[in-house]
Structures are given as structure tokens and as C-alpha cells.
Amino acid sequence: MVFSSIGSALSFGSSPKAIMATLCFFCFWLGFGIGDDYPLSATIMAEYSAKTTRGVFIAAVFAMQGFGILASSAVAVFISPTFSENCSPQSLTPLAPWGPPRRKPTTALPVALTHYWRLRLPETPRYTALGAKD
């Protein structure tokens, strides 16, 4: 996920089609990694929670997807006016139809921190207890 988010932020190419192809390639693999990480979050929450609160915590994990979609849409609504001044017809060139590239790999930081925290997360007591019986 870290490499895919950096790759999608720094998509490259000599034509708009090449840029879109590399952007689609890296976004596909980023989505693949997120799709792998999403059920892992629910599993970790289910293993750490008590039986009485397990359903509430798992529902909260799945509800966060909706809140994330709303938050990303709100950010796009508030940030998009800053790009409208950079996309005048005079500033467009055949190799840069969306204006000068201003992509930064800022999405890689949360992904890298999530990966780091997942590596440092201790095994759940439920998994440890099941492993001790083998």
C-alpha cells in the first residue's frame, strides 16, 4: 500500500494517456492492498473485544467506511476551488491537460504509519490461547 500510494501520487508518463495508465495501475494495487487490510481491521477488533461488546465494535469498524467516504468527499469539495484557477484554457498544454502537476505523496504517510503500527501490534490473547493448545 505504501509503494502504491507513492506511485499513484507520482504517476509518470510523456502523454496524458500514459499518465492515466500509470495512475490506474497504482490505484488498482492500492485498492488491492486496502481491500486486504479492511477485513483485517474487523478481525483484530473482534479478537480484542469482549463477547458483550464485540458486535458494537465490529459495527463501528464497518461504519467507519461510510464516515471515510463522507470525509473524503468533504475534503474534495473544499479543496477543488483551489485547482480551478490553475486550469484555465491558456495554461493547458498538450502534454499537461490538467495544468501543471502538483501531486505530492502525502497519502503514503498514513499508510506507512498504519503498516508500522500493525507490525508492532502484539498477538491477541484469543489467538495466543488457541496457539498454546497446538
Side-chain angles (χ1 to χ4, degrees), residues 1 14 25 132:
M1 288 185 341
S14 59
F25 175 79

Side-chain angles (χ1 to χ4, degrees), residues 77-102:
V77 165
F78 288 117
I79 289 180
S80 62
T82 62
F83 292 107
S84 64
E85 63 192 36
N86 296 329
C87 292
S88 64
Q90 293 81 15
S91 68
L92 300 179
T93 64
L95 293 180
W98 302 285
R102 289 188 169 84

Side-chain angles (χ1 to χ4, degrees), residues 53-71:
T53 58
R54 188 173 300 150
V56 174
F57 285 138
I58 293 174
V61 167
F62 288 114
M64 288 301 123
Q65 181 181 13
F67 289 123
I69 291 169
L70 287 174

Side-chain angles (χ1 to χ4, degrees), residues 25-81:
F25 175 79
F26 287 119
C27 285
F28 171 79
W29 288 110
L30 179 62
F32 193 79
I34 290 171
D36 183 43
D37 187 62
Y38 187 64
L40 183 63
S41 301
T43 303
I44 289 172
M45 186 59 68
E47 288 184 357
Y48 269 113
S49 60
K51 287 183 181 181
T52 56
T53 58
R54 188 173 300 150
V56 174
F57 285 138
I58 293 174
V61 167
F62 288 114
M64 288 301 123
Q65 181 181 13
F67 289 123
I69 291 169
L70 287 174
S72 66
S73 300
V75 168
V77 165
F78 288 117
I79 289 180
S80 62

